[in-house]
Every structure is written in structure tokens, then in C-alpha cells.
């Protein structure tokens, strides 16, 4: 009987849709007034310049292995083709000592007569990373903060930069990631609105530079670049990628000066 009554009391299907009633929970969080001023862009740039200088001065000697690979980008059904691989052991010591010892070289038949070399400066400053953030460069570039990312317990700033003028040296613009623990640049992506060598290069599509931390010091990890030639080169093609990997670091181990003597074995 109870079942019969319940069914009878239920609305018929022909009487229209039945709407369910939901309970919605409302919550409010009280506003908190933050009185601490936000760090300005100029202050961040000052700290980056100081952090990079502190990084450079903390390195007294350095040894690492650099591996460069040049890959031709195939067109159509052709895949990428390795053209060259050069492996070098590099030694640096302040103030002005550097030695590059080629460990291995491989070249395809297309480049069997190539004399391409890797070269490294004697200083510890990695201007390829911080060229736009050195104090003397501030007047030549515009900067803006495009993001702040919380990574663990510290903050990463993403800062975009571009040359103030397109006249003269075709400096690239780009984006850097700044680790606020040390205020050093840990990653950089470069854009080249104009070719740095228009007679040879049609353009550089992309360049990426990354750092890694070794024994508490920020050092290069890899460099990637994609470029296109103005005209195809015989046995080389038009488009190619260059990748340089840096590993097997020894930092501040006290390199003997004899290592930098020509002919001496490291």
C-alpha cells in the first residue's frame, strides 16, 4: 500500500521536466593587505648583473668536455643526417689561460675536407648567456617581466628583452629564465629578427642555451641552434642544426699551469 501511494504521489512524465534541487556551499576568504613593495624591474636587472659577476668571480679553473654535432635537415622524404661530430676536452684557468684538446672527430664523406674547429675564450664569463644583462648593455636593450613561476621554495623570473634599435649590429632579442636563489640566468631562448651574417645565413630560426649546476656553480649544459643558409652549399645543403653538449665538469680543482703548455699532455 505504501508503495502504491508513493507511485501515485510522484509527478507523471507528461506533466513536464522535474528539476533537482542542489545545495551550494559558499565560502569566503578574508582579504589580506600586503604592504611589502614588489621588486622593480630595475632592481631585478641589477641583481642579475651582480649574480652573474659573482658567478664569474667564483670560478678559478674549469675543465669540461664539449661535444659538437652538425646535422643536415633533410627535405621531403629524407630524414636528418649527421654531418660532423667533434669532441674536445677544454681547460681554462684565470686570468687568461685556455687550451682545447680535440679528442675525437668524425665527418661524413660530404665534409671529409672540412677544417671546422671549436674555439673557446679564456675568460670565465659566459657572454653568450648574459650579453644583454651586463651593466654596459642596459642602454641597448628593452626589458619586461613576462612571468613569475614558483619552483619549490624559490622564484623563477621570465624576462623578455629586445634591442632598442634595429640600426647597426643585428643583436638578437629573446627570453631568459632567472633563478632568484643566485640571480643567474639558467636558460635563454634567442630570436634573430635579422641574420647576423646575411651574405651566408638567411636566418637563424631558433637558439636555446641552458645551464646546469655543478658543485654549486652554474655552468653551460647545452647550446642548440637551427639555421638556414642563403644559398645551398655543395655537399652541405641549406638547412642544418648545431648542438653543443657540455659535460664531465671539474670545477676549481687546481689545474697545473703545465697543462697549458703546447705539446704537454693534460
Amino acid at each position: 500500500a505504501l508503495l502504491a501511494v508513493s507511485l501515485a504521489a510522484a509527478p507523471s512524465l507528461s506533466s513536464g521536466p522535474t528539476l533537482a534541487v542542489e545545495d551550494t556551499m559558499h565560502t569566503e576568504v578574508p582579504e589580506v593587505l600586503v604592504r611589502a613593495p614588489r621588486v622593480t624591474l630595475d632592481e631585478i636587472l641589477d641583481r642579475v648583473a651582480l649574480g652573474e659577476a659573482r658567478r664569474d668571480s667564483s670560478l678559478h679553473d674549469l675543465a669540461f668536455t664539449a661535444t659538437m654535432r652538425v646535422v643536415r635537415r633533410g627535405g621531403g622524404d629524407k630524414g636528418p643526417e649527421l654531418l660532423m661530430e667533434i669532441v674536445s676536452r677544454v681547460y681554462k684557468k684565470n686570468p687568461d689561460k685556455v687550451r682545447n684538446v680535440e679528442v675525437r672527430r668524425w665527418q661524413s664523406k660530404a665534409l671529409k675536407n672540412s677544417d671546422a674547429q671549436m674555439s673557446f675564450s679564456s675568460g670565465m664569463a659566459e657572454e653568450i648567456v648574459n650579453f644583454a644583462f651586463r651593466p654596459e648593455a642596459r642602454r641597448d636593450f628593452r626589458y619586461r617581466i613576462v612571468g613569475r613561476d614558483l619552483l619549490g621554495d624559490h622564484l623563477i623570473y621570465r624576462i623578455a628583452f629586445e634591442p632598442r634599435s634595429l640600426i647597426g649590429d643585428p643583436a638578437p632579442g629573446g627570453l631568459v629564465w632567472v633563478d632568484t636563489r643566485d640571480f643567474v640566468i639558467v636558460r635563454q631562448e634567442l630570436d634573430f629578427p635579422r641574420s647576423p651574417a646575411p651574405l651566408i645565413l638567411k636566418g637563424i630560426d631558433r637558439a636555446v642555451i641552458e645551464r646546469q649546476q655543478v658543485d654549486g656553480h652554474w655552468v653551460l649544459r647545452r647550446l642548440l641552434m637551427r639555421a638556414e643558409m642563403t644559398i645551398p652549399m655543395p655537399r652541405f645543403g641549406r638547412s642544418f642544426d648545431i648542438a653543443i653538449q657540455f659535460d664531465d665538469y671539474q670545477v676549481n680543482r687546481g689545474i697545473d699551469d703545465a697543462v697549458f703548455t703546447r705539446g704537454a699532455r693534460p
Side-chain angles (χ1 to χ4, degrees):
L2 289 175
L3 180 59
V5 170
S6 298
L7 291 173
S12 64
L13 295 176
S14 61
S15 63
T18 301
L19 302 180
V21 178
E22 295 184 80
D23 291 331
T24 303
M25 182 174 64
H26 299 275
T27 60
E28 290 186 5
V29 177
E31 295 182 356
V32 177
L33 180 61
V34 179
R35 299 184 180 276
R38 172 170 282 186
V39 179
T40 67
L41 176 57
D42 282 341
E43 289 176 316
I44 294 171
L45 296 177
D46 288 341
R47 294 183 186 184
V48 172
L50 182 61
E52 287 286 330
R54 187 183 300 115
R55 172 215 167 268
D56 298 347
S57 64
S58 69
L59 296 171
H60 309 297
D61 57 76
L62 198 62
F64 57 89
T65 299
T67 303
M68 181 180 73
R69 296 182 177 94
V70 180
V71 176
R72 176 167 54 194
R73 299 208 314 271
D77 296 333
K78 295 182 178 180
E81 177 188 357
L82 179 63
L83 296 177
M84 177 185 298
E85 180 180 85
I86 301 175
V87 181
S88 293
R89 187 66 177 170
V90 181
Y91 303 87
K92 292 186 175 188
K93 186 175 183 179
N94 275 333
D96 56 3
K97 292 183 171 61
V98 62
R99 186 179 179 192
N100 180 4
V101 180
E102 188 170 295
V103 178
R104 185 174 71 251
R105 170 185 288 262
W106 179 90
Q107 296 176 172
S108 69
K109 293 181 179 179
L111 297 180
K112 62 181 180 179
N113 295 322
S114 172
D115 59 351
Q117 301 285 337
M118 284 193 292
S119 62
F120 299 88
S121 64
S122 59
M124 299 297 177
E126 295 173 346
E127 293 189 32
I128 192 174
V129 178
N130 59 36
F131 67 92
F133 290 81
R134 303 172 72 83
E136 62 271 20
R138 294 270 289 272
R139 64 179 181 274
D140 299 325
F141 291 88
R142 296 188 184 92
Y143 309 87
R144 57 189 174 89
I145 300 173
V146 297
R148 298 175 177 86
D149 305 309
L150 192 61
L151 182 62
D153 59 351
H154 65 292
L155 191 64
I156 301 291
Y157 279 103
R158 285 179 283 128
I159 302 176
F161 64 96
E162 60 182 3
R164 292 184 182 273
S165 174
L166 295 179
I167 301 174
D169 186 30
L175 182 67
V176 298
W177 282 253
V178 175
D179 189 321
T180 57
R181 279 181 173 172
D182 302 304
F183 275 95
V184 298
I185 298 169
V186 298
R187 178 183 168 89
Q188 179 175 236
E189 294 183 358
L190 295 176
D191 294 321
F192 292 80
R194 295 182 300 165
S195 170
L199 294 179
I200 303 174
L201 288 176
K202 181 179 179 181
I204 297 177
D205 297 335
R206 190 181 184 213
V208 176
I209 304 167
E210 295 178 345
R211 276 173 166 167
Q212 60 186 319
Q213 206 167 24
V214 176
D215 297 337
H217 300 272
W218 288 99
V219 291
L220 287 174
R221 176 172 178 258
R222 64 176 179 171
L223 183 154
L224 306 172
M225 186 180 72
R226 173 163 289 181
E228 185 174 352
M229 309 296 291
T230 303
I231 58 174
M233 294 180 63
R235 300 177 299 177
F236 194 85
R238 180 187 291 271
S239 301
F240 62 93
D241 295 337
I242 296 177
I244 304 178
Q245 182 78 25
F246 303 85
D247 49 29
D248 297 332
Y249 274 94
Q250 292 182 328
V251 181
N252 292 342
R253 301 288 182 87
I255 300 176
D256 194 318
D257 287 349
V259 169
F260 302 95
T261 303
R262 183 179 296 273
R265 296 186 62 182

